[in-house]
């Protein structure tokens, strides 16, 4: 049974989300403020944290930062009413695995929770290689460490997930929409330049021609 911690200062919403998740078979713990949520997350180590941003005292972004600083593998789904697109992007860039805006449809929340918990990376399935190699590019999926020739770098969450997807699909053209879905979740407008910005950061750490732009489609990691 997967363990989920829900942190939100709205009692009615907290009870609603808890009931919906428990009806699906999850073990749910709740916290009504950021301080208590951070304490519970660090001591109980849930499989997924559902985190509100706008809370009095220690807000959700501070909790997000603290949890990912302590353990970068912590899976956090942000659930927030903020309409600021930059805040959403910042949370995902920092390492949140998903972002769902309030108001939301409960079936979508449950679907996203299942997706994040049951993805191959989350389940640790043995047939997924821990070290990916494409030409001179080597990516350790346990430590997120990239090695290109003699150079090494530890990748931020989104750059790691993006490169991992490209390396698992070498010489395949991956559309921007596919990358948005696989790396950032599926609630983004495909016209955003989020993928392009992250590709630019990756290119600075690879050889200049490693990632090919396919005009009006997406990107391709080339093996030669």
């Amino acid at each position: 049974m997967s363990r989920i911690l829900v942190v939100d200062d709205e009692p009615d919403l907290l009870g609603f989300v808890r009931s919906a998740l428990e009806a699906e078979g999850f073990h749910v713990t709740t916290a009504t403020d950021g301080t208590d949520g951070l304490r519970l997350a660090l001591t109980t180590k849930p499989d997924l944290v559902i985190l509100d941003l706008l809370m009095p005292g220690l807000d959700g972004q501070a909790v997000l930062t603290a949890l990912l600083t302590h353990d970068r593998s912590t899976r956090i789904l942000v659930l927030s009413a903020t309409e600021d697109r930059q805040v959403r992007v910042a949370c995902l860039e920092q390492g949140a695995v998903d972002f769902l805006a309030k108001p939301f449809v409960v079936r979508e929340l449950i679907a996203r929770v299942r997706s994040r918990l049951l993805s191959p990376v989350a389940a640790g399935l043995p047939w997924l290689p821990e070290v990916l190699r494409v030409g001179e590019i080597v990516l350790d999926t346990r430590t997120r460490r990239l090695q290109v020739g003699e150079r090494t770098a530890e990748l931020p969450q989104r750059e790691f997930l993006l490169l991992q997807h490209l390396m698992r699909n070498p010489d395949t053209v991956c559309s921007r929409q596919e990358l948005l879905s696989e790396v950032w979740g599926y609630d983004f407008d495909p016209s955003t330049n989020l993928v392009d910005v992250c590709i630019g950061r990756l290119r600075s750490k690879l050889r200049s021609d490693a990632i090919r732009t396919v005009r009006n489609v997406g990107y391709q990691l080339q093996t030669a």
Side-chain angles (χ1 to χ4, degrees):
M1 180 183 295
S2 295
R3 296 170 297 113
I4 300 175
L5 170 63
V6 186
V7 186
D8 198 298
D9 67 331
E10 299 179 53
D12 290 342
L13 184 140
L14 200 62
F16 172 71
V17 171
R18 178 173 192 160
S19 296
L21 291 172
E22 288 180 337
E24 296 294 322
F26 297 109
H27 177 76
V28 182
T29 304
T30 62
T32 56
D33 61 67
T35 301
D36 196 32
L38 178 59
R39 178 186 62 80
L40 285 171
L42 293 175
T43 55
T44 66
K45 300 186 177 185
D47 300 300
L48 179 74
V49 178
I50 298 177
L51 178 65
D52 184 27
L53 291 184
L54 305 177
M55 295 183 290
L58 190 67
D59 65 23
Q61 286 183 297
V63 175
L64 178 73
T65 300
L67 289 178
L68 292 174
T69 299
H70 177 75
D71 182 355
R72 292 185 61 183
S73 68
T74 304
R75 291 183 170 267
I76 302 171
L77 187 158
V78 176
L79 185 65
S80 178
T82 181
E83 297 181 357
D84 189 332
R85 174 64 64 86
Q86 294 304 313
V87 170
R88 298 187 187 191
V89 171
C91 288
L92 293 169
E93 288 282 7
Q94 190 171 352
V97 297
D98 208 343
F99 194 115
L100 181 60
K102 297 177 183 178
F104 59 91
V105 177
V106 68
R107 295 310 307 174
E108 181 179 4
L109 173 63
I110 291 169
R112 291 190 183 216
V113 166
R114 290 194 183 281
S115 174
R116 296 312 178 189
L117 286 172
L118 301 179
S119 64
V121 173
L125 298 179
W127 59 81
L128 286 176
E130 293 181 321
V131 177
L132 300 175
R133 299 176 186 272
V134 175
E136 66 173 354
I137 303 171
V138 180
L139 181 65
D140 189 326
T141 62
R142 298 161 299 182
T143 63
R144 301 177 188 172
R145 183 166 294 276
L146 167 68
Q147 181 172 346
V148 183
E150 298 298 318
R151 294 180 297 144
T152 62
E154 185 174 333
L155 297 178
Q157 170 84 347
R158 295 301 148 184
E159 290 178 32
F160 162 72
L161 292 174
L162 180 56
L163 182 59
Q164 177 180 240
H165 185 78
L166 291 173
M167 291 183 73
R168 287 196 168 125
N169 298 277
D171 288 326
T172 300
V173 178
C174 300
S175 70
R176 286 179 175 83
Q177 186 57 49
E178 173 188 345
L179 296 173
L180 282 169
S181 175
E182 291 294 327
V183 178
W184 283 272
Y186 50 85
D187 62 340
F188 279 89
D189 188 324
S191 64
T192 180
N193 69 343
L194 193 58
V195 174
D196 309 89
V197 170
C198 199
I199 286 287
R201 292 174 183 162
L202 271 179
R203 278 177 170 155
S204 69
K205 299 169 184 176
L206 306 172
R207 69 176 195 271
S208 59
D209 61 345
I211 301 176
R212 171 174 167 256
T213 300
V214 181
R215 188 176 177 82
N216 297 324
V217 180
Y219 296 96
Q220 175 191 48
L221 181 68
Q222 302 184 99
T223 57

